[in-house]
Amino acid sequence: MESPLVPDLAHLRGAYAVTSKATQETPLLESAALAKATGAARVFVKPESLQWAGSFKVRGAYWRLTRLSPDEAKRGVVAYSSGNFAQGLAAAGEALGIPVTIVMPIDAPAAKRDATAGYGARVVLTDHGQRPREEVAAEKARQIAEEEGVVLLHPFDDPEIVAGQAGAGLEALRQLEAKGAQADILFCSVGGGGLIGGVALAFHYLSPSTDIIAVEPAGFDGMGNSLAHGEIETMPMAPNSICDGLMARRPGVAPFAAVRKAGVHGLPVTDQSVRKAMKIAFERMKLVLEPSGAASLAALLDGSVDVAGKTILVIATGGNVSLADFMKHISNA
């Protein structure tokens, strides 16, 4: 019997039929330079950095908001996020006329805070001190939901978020087919796991031979660690990573159920390899990626996975980074 946490293929396709009318179809770019550099037969990059609000997050956010009842939509929603889900949910709320409140850690990038407010969302900042920032932000979001009677949304631990994010995978599969290609290996970055949960299910159902790799910052590889041990585990506190959007210490229950079904395995990357990937993406493909968005490309480039003669798909997940931070990262690559 299918777990209620794991959407089936019809569910994924139904979500994409709705979200595809409100999101951009991001391109699938082939890079001969990356293929030559890695020894792969072909390398494709899907830059979700070019999506509305600068990342894949609007896909799941838009679909989740369409699942609200009329009364819930009128009252509005609250969620916590360090940036990309915040922007995606704010943009979706603006498009659907649904009030959105976002709780963000005080150290979230200023560019992401400003962009979130620019989509009309109310932004509430939390000071987490020595505590895990997602823990403090989540507490504040729950408090707001209770006091104001709005719907509390989780940024990734929700089967409907997983189903909505799967649109990136369904889109990539169709684009690969149009180019006469089938991915042998898929690299996708992971925070809490909403994106890889959806993308992995899409490939599990339609391209089961594809090897799917969950890429996380070293020290925040909760998904990979949990997959290795067969159950969800929380990572100990670690120094911050430049991949601010991937610093979840444990995966969500719904994404974990999805990736286990799809046979995903994890791979950590260092901040330095991410910086190099950002620079290469800019120089070779003219893509501006934030650190979290470049982690998947870093996993391909650092040589940890044998890709010789293989067809590779990299989901580049976001591009929400200020010019000053981008220049700092690539100058230190």
Side-chain angles (χ1 to χ4, degrees):
M1 184 176 179
E2 186 79 284
S3 166
L5 294 176
V6 181
D8 61 19
L9 180 58
H11 195 154
L12 304 187
R13 284 174 163 162
Y16 183 59
V18 173
T19 61
S20 61
K21 297 174 183 177
T23 58
Q24 297 205 81
E25 179 175 313
T26 55
L28 187 69
L29 306 177
E30 184 167 8
S31 173
L34 292 180
K36 183 176 181 180
T38 60
R42 303 177 78 177
V43 174
F44 295 93
V45 176
K46 186 165 180 60
E48 285 289 287
S49 52
L50 302 179
Q51 184 55 261
W52 299 127
S55 84
F56 69 91
K57 292 284 191 177
V58 71
R59 297 180 186 268
Y62 190 93
W63 173 246
R64 182 63 181 86
L65 289 183
T66 66
R67 301 299 91 197
L68 296 173
S69 70
D71 179 61
E72 289 173 332
K74 182 178 180 180
R75 286 185 282 122
V77 300
V78 61
Y80 69 90
S81 168
S82 66
N84 281 352
F85 183 72
Q87 290 174 78
L89 185 62
E94 183 179 54
L96 292 166
I98 296 173
V100 171
T101 296
I102 298 293
V103 179
M104 302 182 78
I106 197 168
D107 56 355
K112 294 184 178 183
R113 296 200 307 267
D114 294 344
T116 300
Y119 286 112
R122 176 175 61 136
V123 176
V124 177
L125 300 179
T126 55
D127 189 347
H128 49 86
Q130 299 302 310
R131 295 176 63 194
R133 64 183 196 163
E134 69 275 9
E135 181 180 290
V136 176
E139 287 177 0
K140 183 63 176 179
R142 285 193 294 270
Q143 178 187 344
I144 291 172
E146 292 172 2
E147 293 178 352
E148 300 182 11
V150 296
V151 178
L152 176 64
L153 298 184
H154 198 283
F156 53 82
D157 198 1
D158 184 325
E160 297 296 355
I161 293 290
V162 170
Q165 311 297 27
L170 294 174
E171 208 167 88
L173 282 160
R174 177 170 48 77
Q175 293 168 319
L176 284 167
E177 183 179 10
K179 294 176 180 289
Q182 181 175 350
D184 296 308
I185 302 174
L186 163 63
F187 293 93
C188 183
S189 58
V190 181
L195 175 65
I196 199 168
V199 169
L201 286 178
F203 275 79
H204 171 71
Y205 294 134
L206 298 173
S207 183
S209 64
T210 300
D211 185 19
I212 305 169
I213 299 176
V215 183
E216 301 171 281
F220 294 92
D221 45 337
M223 180 67 82
N225 190 58
S226 296
L227 287 168
H229 293 93
E231 61 182 6
I232 293 177
E233 296 187 356
T234 302
M235 298 296 289
M237 288 288 288
N240 283 353
S241 165
I242 63 170
C243 302
D244 64 280
L246 305 181
M247 294 198 304
R249 295 172 58 227
R250 57 181 284 145
V253 175
F256 185 67
V259 299
R260 284 196 74 188
K261 182 179 179 68
V264 176
H265 56 97
L267 179 68
V269 292
T270 66
D271 281 358
Q272 188 59 16
S273 66
V274 170
R275 292 186 184 96
K276 291 178 180 177
M278 292 174 68
K279 184 176 182 180
I280 289 172
F282 177 72
E283 292 178 342
R284 303 293 178 87
M285 302 191 73
K286 311 311 172 191
L287 292 175
V288 174
L289 300 178
E290 64 182 289
S292 299
S296 50
L297 181 58
L300 167 64
L301 293 171
D302 72 9
S304 299
V305 178
D306 181 8
V307 300
K310 304 288 182 65
T311 296
I312 308 302
L313 171 62
V314 175
I315 308 290
T317 55
N320 291 312
V321 59
S322 69
L323 177 60
D325 284 344
F326 181 77
M327 294 301 295
K328 178 181 70 176
H329 291 313
I330 64 171
S331 67
N332 291 328

